[in-house]
Amino acid sequence: MSTVLRTVNRVLLGVVGLALVVVGGSVLAVGLGAPAPSWWIHDGRHDVLLDDAERTRWRDDGWWWPTVIAVLAVLVLLALWWLTAVLRRHRLREVLVDTGDGEGALLRGRALEGVLGGDAGELDGVAHAQVLLTGRPSAPKARVRLQLEPHVDPGTALDDLTAGALTHARNSAGLASLPAEVRLSGVKHRAERVS
């Protein structure tokens, strides 16, 4: 997650949380009989949120409901954008490769993902491999998903992945380490009718 997005996320969460605590706490306090604060929009604990006059004030104005719907639609779209930005797994765009001469080179993250996924997919008994690089350009991390054929021992497949594809990728990129989170699953075959 980028620094800007992380900062915006924390500020928005803090502001929304503070507003909910203040308003919710005030509603609870007034509902339990405490005196209403000076900024409170109602007179007391038995006051309704919207009386008949407030509910029907703009009913005849043609602009009111389209404006309310537009504002709510924008709020829903912003909330969905925020949710997808927070939940999206961020792919590493570039990996810093040590060239051995004191300089460095940038390697596209998708290129390394493709090579690592290809090497992992060629392992014995691996039906499908998927790789996602995360982390920082100088310290990438790999998320690997392997679908294994039913006859493959998961421990052997994990050892082969570590000794083969991950070691090759780490050495090729000149990385000190390449931590990996590996998820193994079995391939589901459809039952076939034998006649």
Side-chain angles (χ1 to χ4, degrees):
M1 185 182 295
S2 72
T3 306
V4 173
L5 185 59
R6 188 176 297 130
T7 303
V8 168
N9 189 32
R10 288 180 180 168
V11 168
L12 285 175
L13 279 175
V15 168
V16 169
L18 183 62
L20 288 175
V21 166
V22 168
V23 172
S26 300
V27 168
L28 182 63
V30 170
L32 293 174
S38 61
W39 52 269
W40 194 247
I41 57 175
H42 299 292
D43 296 330
R45 101 185 249 190
H46 298 292
D47 198 5
V48 294
L49 184 61
L50 292 174
D51 62 12
D52 289 337
E54 291 171 331
R55 263 187 312 107
T56 59
R57 181 184 338 181
W58 291 301
R59 182 184 296 178
D60 295 332
D61 293 334
W63 61 270
W64 173 248
W65 288 114
T67 303
V68 168
I69 291 170
V71 167
L72 291 176
V74 167
L75 288 175
V76 166
L77 290 174
L78 284 173
L80 288 174
W81 169 81
W82 186 15
L83 181 65
T84 56
V86 168
L87 295 180
R88 185 178 63 214
R89 291 184 176 179
H90 293 278
R91 174 175 268 146
L92 189 61
R93 293 182 186 201
E94 296 174 333
V95 175
L96 184 61
V97 177
D98 183 12
T99 56
D101 59 359
E103 297 292 324
L106 291 177
L107 173 66
R108 284 187 37 213
R110 287 189 187 241
L112 186 57
E113 287 175 354
V115 171
L116 184 54
D119 285 352
E122 291 176 2
L123 296 174
D124 183 39
V126 174
H128 179 70
Q130 184 179 2
V131 177
L132 176 72
L133 290 178
T134 61
R136 296 186 323 262
S138 59
K141 298 175 185 175
R143 290 185 184 165
V144 182
R145 295 180 72 115
L146 297 179
Q147 287 187 337
L148 304 177
E149 295 291 343
H151 67 279
V152 175
D153 175 41
T156 303
L158 188 58
D159 289 340
D160 291 346
L161 174 72
T162 303
L166 286 172
T167 302
H168 181 248
R170 187 188 72 233
N171 292 339
S172 298
L175 299 170
S177 67
L178 181 59
E181 174 186 319
V182 181
R183 294 185 184 211
L184 305 173
S185 63
V187 175
K188 296 180 183 175
H189 294 287
R190 283 191 253 162
E192 296 180 8
R193 179 177 284 180
V194 178
S195 48

